[in-house]
Amino acid sequence: MEDGGKIVDYHGCDFFPKRWFDIVFVLRTNNTILYDRLVHRGYTGKKLQDNVQCEIFQTILDEARESYSPSIVFELQSNTPDDMEDNLERITEWVNQYKQNNNLPMQT
């Protein structure tokens, strides 16, 4: 991790040091959509309830804003396939700009 150039996909930020990240993206979704997605994945009971409550209370977003500089934390909506494509494009653009700014090799 110290070399940089890594992407971390995780559902929390309680044990990652600030120095590891230049930007943090928090994906959010409508609670009804999230509920349906989780049921489709086989979530039930407490696991389903905990995940939906976490989204309702924006727990991960708040944790990210408390753990890292708010200027590097970005909330992205992830409700529709179009949202997901937009998020992918936005993150890819940011990664490419980061590489250019830091003289890192660009991959094609």
Side-chain angles (χ1 to χ4, degrees):
M1 291 298 292
E2 291 178 13
D3 294 339
K6 310 287 189 294
I7 295 176
V8 177
D9 178 4
Y10 194 73
H11 300 142
C13 46
D14 48 343
F15 59 83
F16 293 117
K18 292 179 185 180
R19 69 182 183 277
W20 279 13
F21 302 104
D22 295 300
I23 195 163
V24 175
F25 295 104
V26 178
L27 301 177
R28 304 287 313 278
T29 192
N30 173 282
N31 298 322
T32 302
I33 294 169
L34 176 62
Y35 181 90
D36 292 342
R37 285 179 187 168
L38 296 176
V39 167
H40 182 74
R41 292 180 189 166
Y43 286 40
T44 60
K46 184 164 174 37
K47 186 171 184 178
L48 176 62
Q49 181 181 355
D50 288 349
N51 276 271
V52 172
Q53 283 183 347
C54 187
E55 184 63 25
I56 289 170
F57 295 115
Q58 69 182 31
T59 303
I60 302 301
L61 180 61
D62 289 345
E63 283 181 6
R65 288 178 174 158
E66 291 170 8
S67 297
Y68 309 107
S69 170
S71 66
I72 70 163
V73 176
F74 295 89
E75 177 182 1
L76 302 177
Q77 292 301 310
S78 187
N79 293 311
T80 66
D82 284 343
D83 288 343
M84 294 174 204
E85 287 291 325
D86 290 345
N87 293 340
L88 179 61
E89 185 175 311
R90 184 172 180 186
I91 293 168
T92 299
E93 287 173 4
W94 184 87
V95 167
N96 289 336
Q97 187 64 51
Y98 177 85
K99 287 179 176 182
Q100 183 178 0
N101 293 347
N102 291 281
N103 297 317
L104 298 171
M106 302 291 282
Q107 294 180 343
T108 55

PDB file of all heavy atoms in Angstrom, residues 27-45:
ATOM      1  N   LEU A  27     -20.378   4.739  -2.287  1.00  0.00           N
ATOM      2  CA  LEU A  27     -21.529   4.464  -3.145  1.00  0.00           C
ATOM      3  C   LEU A  27     -22.783   4.386  -2.291  1.00  0.00           C
ATOM      4  O   LEU A  27     -22.815   3.681  -1.292  1.00  0.00           O
ATOM      5  CB  LEU A  27     -21.325   3.165  -3.918  1.00  0.00           C
ATOM      6  CG  LEU A  27     -20.095   3.118  -4.808  1.00  0.00           C
ATOM      7  CD1 LEU A  27     -19.976   1.748  -5.470  1.00  0.00           C
ATOM      8  CD2 LEU A  27     -20.130   4.207  -5.859  1.00  0.00           C
ATOM      9  N   ARG A  28     -23.816   5.108  -2.691  1.00  0.00           N
ATOM     10  CA  ARG A  28     -25.086   5.142  -1.965  1.00  0.00           C
ATOM     11  C   ARG A  28     -26.201   4.669  -2.880  1.00  0.00           C
ATOM     12  O   ARG A  28     -26.083   4.732  -4.102  1.00  0.00           O
ATOM     13  CB  ARG A  28     -25.411   6.579  -1.520  1.00  0.00           C
ATOM     14  CG  ARG A  28     -24.380   7.287  -0.671  1.00  0.00           C
ATOM     15  CD  ARG A  28     -24.298   6.783   0.753  1.00  0.00           C
ATOM     16  NE  ARG A  28     -25.580   6.632   1.396  1.00  0.00           N
ATOM     17  CZ  ARG A  28     -26.301   7.616   1.977  1.00  0.00           C
ATOM     18  NH1 ARG A  28     -25.846   8.847   1.977  1.00  0.00           N
ATOM     19  NH2 ARG A  28     -27.465   7.363   2.539  1.00  0.00           N
ATOM     20  N   THR A  29     -27.275   4.205  -2.278  1.00  0.00           N
ATOM     21  CA  THR A  29     -28.428   3.800  -3.075  1.00  0.00           C
ATOM     22  C   THR A  29     -29.717   4.008  -2.292  1.00  0.00           C
ATOM     23  O   THR A  29     -29.712   4.049  -1.059  1.00  0.00           O
ATOM     24  CB  THR A  29     -28.296   2.329  -3.544  1.00  0.00           C
ATOM     25  OG1 THR A  29     -29.281   2.062  -4.532  1.00  0.00           O
ATOM     26  CG2 THR A  29     -28.444   1.350  -2.407  1.00  0.00           C
ATOM     27  N   ASN A  30     -30.789   4.143  -3.012  1.00  0.00           N
ATOM     28  CA  ASN A  30     -32.118   4.259  -2.426  1.00  0.00           C
ATOM     29  C   ASN A  30     -32.401   3.006  -1.601  1.00  0.00           C
ATOM     30  O   ASN A  30     -32.092   1.894  -2.015  1.00  0.00           O
ATOM     31  CB  ASN A  30     -33.128   4.420  -3.567  1.00  0.00           C
ATOM     32  CG  ASN A  30     -34.550   4.373  -3.090  1.00  0.00           C
ATOM     33  OD1 ASN A  30     -35.072   3.301  -2.815  1.00  0.00           O
ATOM     34  ND2 ASN A  30     -35.165   5.522  -3.004  1.00  0.00           N
ATOM     35  N   ASN A  31     -33.022   3.175  -0.443  1.00  0.00           N
ATOM     36  CA  ASN A  31     -33.253   2.050   0.473  1.00  0.00           C
ATOM     37  C   ASN A  31     -34.106   0.945  -0.128  1.00  0.00           C
ATOM     38  O   ASN A  31     -33.855  -0.240   0.115  1.00  0.00           O
ATOM     39  CB  ASN A  31     -33.892   2.538   1.762  1.00  0.00           C
ATOM     40  CG  ASN A  31     -32.996   3.498   2.490  1.00  0.00           C
ATOM     41  OD1 ASN A  31     -31.786   3.333   2.512  1.00  0.00           O
ATOM     42  ND2 ASN A  31     -33.585   4.522   3.066  1.00  0.00           N
ATOM     43  N   THR A  32     -35.109   1.299  -0.893  1.00  0.00           N
ATOM     44  CA  THR A  32     -35.965   0.286  -1.516  1.00  0.00           C
ATOM     45  C   THR A  32     -35.174  -0.525  -2.533  1.00  0.00           C
ATOM     46  O   THR A  32     -35.280  -1.757  -2.587  1.00  0.00           O
ATOM     47  CB  THR A  32     -37.182   0.948  -2.195  1.00  0.00           C
ATOM     48  OG1 THR A  32     -37.900   1.700  -1.206  1.00  0.00           O
ATOM     49  CG2 THR A  32     -38.107  -0.091  -2.801  1.00  0.00           C
ATOM     50  N   ILE A  33     -34.366   0.151  -3.322  1.00  0.00           N
ATOM     51  CA  ILE A  33     -33.526  -0.533  -4.306  1.00  0.00           C
ATOM     52  C   ILE A  33     -32.522  -1.429  -3.588  1.00  0.00           C
ATOM     53  O   ILE A  33     -32.311  -2.586  -3.979  1.00  0.00           O
ATOM     54  CB  ILE A  33     -32.825   0.485  -5.223  1.00  0.00           C
ATOM     55  CG1 ILE A  33     -33.858   1.216  -6.088  1.00  0.00           C
ATOM     56  CG2 ILE A  33     -31.766  -0.191  -6.086  1.00  0.00           C
ATOM     57  CD1 ILE A  33     -33.312   2.407  -6.841  1.00  0.00           C
ATOM     58  N   LEU A  34     -31.909  -0.901  -2.536  1.00  0.00           N
ATOM     59  CA  LEU A  34     -30.943  -1.692  -1.771  1.00  0.00           C
ATOM     60  C   LEU A  34     -31.604  -2.935  -1.190  1.00  0.00           C
ATOM     61  O   LEU A  34     -31.063  -4.035  -1.287  1.00  0.00           O
ATOM     62  CB  LEU A  34     -30.326  -0.858  -0.649  1.00  0.00           C
ATOM     63  CG  LEU A  34     -29.367  -1.609   0.263  1.00  0.00           C
ATOM     64  CD1 LEU A  34     -28.166  -2.130  -0.518  1.00  0.00           C
ATOM     65  CD2 LEU A  34     -28.924  -0.731   1.427  1.00  0.00           C
ATOM     66  N   TYR A  35     -32.773  -2.770  -0.603  1.00  0.00           N
ATOM     67  CA  TYR A  35     -33.495  -3.902  -0.015  1.00  0.00           C
ATOM     68  C   TYR A  35     -33.716  -4.987  -1.071  1.00  0.00           C
ATOM     69  O   TYR A  35     -33.407  -6.165  -0.844  1.00  0.00           O
ATOM     70  CB  TYR A  35     -34.831  -3.428   0.564  1.00  0.00           C
ATOM     71  CG  TYR A  35     -35.621  -4.534   1.212  1.00  0.00           C
ATOM     72  CD1 TYR A  35     -35.452  -4.829   2.556  1.00  0.00           C
ATOM     73  CD2 TYR A  35     -36.538  -5.286   0.475  1.00  0.00           C
ATOM     74  CE1 TYR A  35     -36.170  -5.853   3.156  1.00  0.00           C
ATOM     75  CE2 TYR A  35     -37.251  -6.312   1.060  1.00  0.00           C
ATOM     76  CZ  TYR A  35     -37.071  -6.590   2.405  1.00  0.00           C
ATOM     77  OH  TYR A  35     -37.777  -7.612   2.985  1.00  0.00           O
ATOM     78  N   ASP A  36     -34.225  -4.594  -2.221  1.00  0.00           N
ATOM     79  CA  ASP A  36     -34.485  -5.563  -3.294  1.00  0.00           C
ATOM     80  C   ASP A  36     -33.199  -6.247  -3.760  1.00  0.00           C
ATOM     81  O   ASP A  36     -33.191  -7.457  -3.996  1.00  0.00           O
ATOM     82  CB  ASP A  36     -35.180  -4.879  -4.479  1.00  0.00           C
ATOM     83  CG  ASP A  36     -36.593  -4.419  -4.142  1.00  0.00           C
ATOM     84  OD1 ASP A  36     -37.174  -4.902  -3.141  1.00  0.00           O
ATOM     85  OD2 ASP A  36     -37.123  -3.570  -4.886  1.00  0.00           O
ATOM     86  N   ARG A  37     -32.120  -5.490  -3.884  1.00  0.00           N
ATOM     87  CA  ARG A  37     -30.835  -6.076  -4.293  1.00  0.00           C
ATOM     88  C   ARG A  37     -30.357  -7.118  -3.282  1.00  0.00           C
ATOM     89  O   ARG A  37     -29.885  -8.192  -3.649  1.00  0.00           O
ATOM     90  CB  ARG A  37     -29.760  -4.996  -4.416  1.00  0.00           C
ATOM     91  CG  ARG A  37     -29.860  -4.134  -5.629  1.00  0.00           C
ATOM     92  CD  ARG A  37     -28.753  -3.101  -5.615  1.00  0.00           C
ATOM     93  NE  ARG A  37     -28.920  -2.152  -6.700  1.00  0.00           N
ATOM     94  CZ  ARG A  37     -28.242  -1.020  -6.816  1.00  0.00           C
ATOM     95  NH1 ARG A  37     -27.337  -0.709  -5.906  1.00  0.00           N
ATOM     96  NH2 ARG A  37     -28.451  -0.213  -7.828  1.00  0.00           N
ATOM     97  N   LEU A  38     -30.463  -6.771  -2.013  1.00  0.00           N
ATOM     98  CA  LEU A  38     -29.971  -7.680  -0.977  1.00  0.00           C
ATOM     99  C   LEU A  38     -30.824  -8.940  -0.866  1.00  0.00           C
ATOM    100  O   LEU A  38     -30.289 -10.040  -0.678  1.00  0.00           O
ATOM    101  CB  LEU A  38     -29.894  -6.954   0.368  1.00  0.00           C
ATOM    102  CG  LEU A  38     -28.889  -5.793   0.424  1.00  0.00           C
ATOM    103  CD1 LEU A  38     -28.973  -5.077   1.773  1.00  0.00           C
ATOM    104  CD2 LEU A  38     -27.476  -6.251   0.135  1.00  0.00           C
ATOM    105  N   VAL A  39     -32.131  -8.796  -0.995  1.00  0.00           N
ATOM    106  CA  VAL A  39     -33.012  -9.970  -0.984  1.00  0.00           C
ATOM    107  C   VAL A  39     -32.667 -10.872  -2.163  1.00  0.00           C
ATOM    108  O   VAL A  39     -32.579 -12.100  -2.021  1.00  0.00           O
ATOM    109  CB  VAL A  39     -34.502  -9.548  -1.013  1.00  0.00           C
ATOM    110  CG1 VAL A  39     -35.408 -10.727  -1.321  1.00  0.00           C
ATOM    111  CG2 VAL A  39     -34.882  -8.915   0.321  1.00  0.00           C
ATOM    112  N   HIS A  40     -32.446 -10.267  -3.312  1.00  0.00           N
ATOM    113  CA  HIS A  40     -32.069 -11.038  -4.509  1.00  0.00           C
ATOM    114  C   HIS A  40     -30.761 -11.809  -4.283  1.00  0.00           C
ATOM    115  O   HIS A  40     -30.574 -12.894  -4.822  1.00  0.00           O
ATOM    116  CB  HIS A  40     -31.948 -10.107  -5.717  1.00  0.00           C
ATOM    117  CG  HIS A  40     -31.611 -10.797  -6.995  1.00  0.00           C
ATOM    118  ND1 HIS A  40     -32.532 -11.559  -7.678  1.00  0.00           N
ATOM    119  CD2 HIS A  40     -30.461 -10.848  -7.705  1.00  0.00           C
ATOM    120  CE1 HIS A  40     -31.947 -12.066  -8.748  1.00  0.00           C
ATOM    121  NE2 HIS A  40     -30.689 -11.643  -8.792  1.00  0.00           N
ATOM    122  N   ARG A  41     -29.853 -11.239  -3.486  1.00  0.00           N
ATOM    123  CA  ARG A  41     -28.577 -11.893  -3.171  1.00  0.00           C
ATOM    124  C   ARG A  41     -28.711 -12.930  -2.054  1.00  0.00           C
ATOM    125  O   ARG A  41     -27.728 -13.551  -1.665  1.00  0.00           O
ATOM    126  CB  ARG A  41     -27.533 -10.857  -2.751  1.00  0.00           C
ATOM    127  CG  ARG A  41     -27.100  -9.957  -3.863  1.00  0.00           C
ATOM    128  CD  ARG A  41     -26.068  -8.960  -3.365  1.00  0.00           C
ATOM    129  NE  ARG A  41     -25.803  -7.961  -4.391  1.00  0.00           N
ATOM    130  CZ  ARG A  41     -25.170  -6.830  -4.161  1.00  0.00           C
ATOM    131  NH1 ARG A  41     -24.726  -6.534  -2.958  1.00  0.00           N
ATOM    132  NH2 ARG A  41     -24.978  -5.982  -5.146  1.00  0.00           N
ATOM    133  N   GLY A  42     -29.904 -13.041  -1.487  1.00  0.00           N
ATOM    134  CA  GLY A  42     -30.123 -14.039  -0.451  1.00  0.00           C
ATOM    135  C   GLY A  42     -29.970 -13.537   0.972  1.00  0.00           C
ATOM    136  O   GLY A  42     -29.955 -14.331   1.914  1.00  0.00           O
ATOM    137  N   TYR A  43     -29.844 -12.223   1.166  1.00  0.00           N
ATOM    138  CA  TYR A  43     -29.743 -11.673   2.515  1.00  0.00           C
ATOM    139  C   TYR A  43     -31.098 -11.799   3.201  1.00  0.00           C
ATOM    140  O   TYR A  43     -32.141 -11.535   2.589  1.00  0.00           O
ATOM    141  CB  TYR A  43     -29.349 -10.202   2.482  1.00  0.00           C
ATOM    142  CG  TYR A  43     -27.919  -9.907   2.129  1.00  0.00           C
ATOM    143  CD1 TYR A  43     -27.233 -10.610   1.147  1.00  0.00           C
ATOM    144  CD2 TYR A  43     -27.228  -8.889   2.768  1.00  0.00           C
ATOM    145  CE1 TYR A  43     -25.918 -10.322   0.825  1.00  0.00           C
ATOM    146  CE2 TYR A  43     -25.919  -8.588   2.446  1.00  0.00           C
ATOM    147  CZ  TYR A  43     -25.274  -9.307   1.474  1.00  0.00           C
ATOM    148  OH  TYR A  43     -23.976  -9.011   1.159  1.00  0.00           O
ATOM    149  N   THR A  44     -31.083 -12.155   4.467  1.00  0.00           N
ATOM    150  CA  THR A  44     -32.309 -12.244   5.260  1.00  0.00           C
ATOM    151  C   THR A  44     -32.030 -11.775   6.681  1.00  0.00           C
ATOM    152  O   THR A  44     -30.876 -11.586   7.079  1.00  0.00           O
ATOM    153  CB  THR A  44     -32.839 -13.693   5.324  1.00  0.00           C
ATOM    154  OG1 THR A  44     -31.835 -14.525   5.920  1.00  0.00           O
ATOM    155  CG2 THR A  44     -33.210 -14.218   3.949  1.00  0.00           C
ATOM    156  N   GLY A  45     -33.086 -11.616   7.430  1.00  0.00           N
ATOM    157  CA  GLY A  45     -32.975 -11.360   8.863  1.00  0.00           C
ATOM    158  C   GLY A  45     -32.099 -10.183   9.233  1.00  0.00           C
ATOM    159  O   GLY A  45     -32.148  -9.124   8.623  1.00  0.00           O
TER     160      GLY A  45
END
